Amino acid sequence: MGKIIAIANQKGGVGKTTTAINLAASLAALEYKCLVVDADSQANSTSGLGFNPREVQKSIYDCMINETPVQEVIKETTFEYLDLIPSHIDLVGAEIEMINIPRREERMKVALEPVKDKYDFIFIDCSPSLGLITVNALTAANSVIIPVQCEYFALEGLGKLLNTIKIIQTRLNTELQIEGILLTMYDVRLKLSNQVVEEVNTHFKSLVFQTMIPRNIRLSEAPSYGMPAIAHDAESKGAISYLNLAREILNKNGISK
């Protein structure tokens, strides 16, 4: 049965989409079947995997609002073992449209149910908010990865996110776990980066992934080519880091080939 992992942080620009695309692509490169669910109306995961969001006919919005079968929405990417459920600008209004829907927090969970067993991993790229779509993602997920950038104010808002996770664990998804806190945009030369690493490790200890994602030009460039870093430059530091993260998650979950 596939493991569903939400990638969430209400702060923007912390590396959620970069992580969703590159972690899924790294696991796909290791021949694990992966699905990326783009649950952000900005549709960056969609374009980052080579699709034009303006040309998307059906998206996660249709699954959640119109109950379109998820099998009709899934797109095969050009990368073996890697599929995508795209996003669309329509998702912006989804939260308002869902207000009067019964059990509105479970729409994504219900939508993904039919394909859960067809994938080894399903990654949900959440929007930078703690709104209803993110609550849906956390209700559908088995676990959550929290990217934290190695910059000033890194821990700001983290308490609020952890509190939201706690509420969801209590009321909507008792099995939700924290897969790990992922330090991103790490620059070994910067004193601040190292201070953030120390602070996060002090506060959260065993929850922090050993793998850290460095600042890396290839990692930043890859989305403009509509591909993950491993396809853009497999030997770049960014691509290697996500491959290491993929292996760390496999070990953590007791999975090995």
Side-chain angles (χ1 to χ4, degrees), residues 131-143:
L132 190 51
I133 304 293
T134 298
V135 168
N136 259 268
L138 294 171
T139 303
N142 302 110
S143 65

Side-chain angles (χ1 to χ4, degrees), residues 11 29 34 37 39 41 45 49 61 85-86 110 129 131 164 166 172 232:
K11 275 176 76 84
C34 294
V37 180
S41 59
S45 277
L49 285 171
Y61 168 88
I85 294 179
V110 171
S129 79
T164 301
K166 223 170 252 176
L172 297 165
H232 181 50

Side-chain angles (χ1 to χ4, degrees), residues 124-187:
I124 307 172
D125 179 19
C126 297
S127 64
S129 79
L130 293 179
L132 190 51
I133 304 293
T134 298
V135 168
N136 259 268
L138 294 171
T139 303
N142 302 110
S143 65
V144 55
I145 290 174
I146 305 167
V148 173
Q149 85 282 36
C150 295
E151 289 175 1
Y152 200 58
F153 295 136
L155 298 182
E156 195 184 62
L158 200 53
K160 197 175 177 185
L161 174 62
L162 293 170
N163 200 36
T164 301
I165 290 168
K166 223 170 252 176
I167 291 165
I168 285 163
Q169 284 169 328
T170 308
R171 299 182 191 168
L172 297 165
N173 183 0
T174 52
E175 289 168 24
L176 181 67
Q177 295 181 331
I178 294 173
E179 190 75 28
I181 292 170
L182 176 66
L183 290 158
T184 62
M185 302 175 200
Y186 175 67
D187 189 337

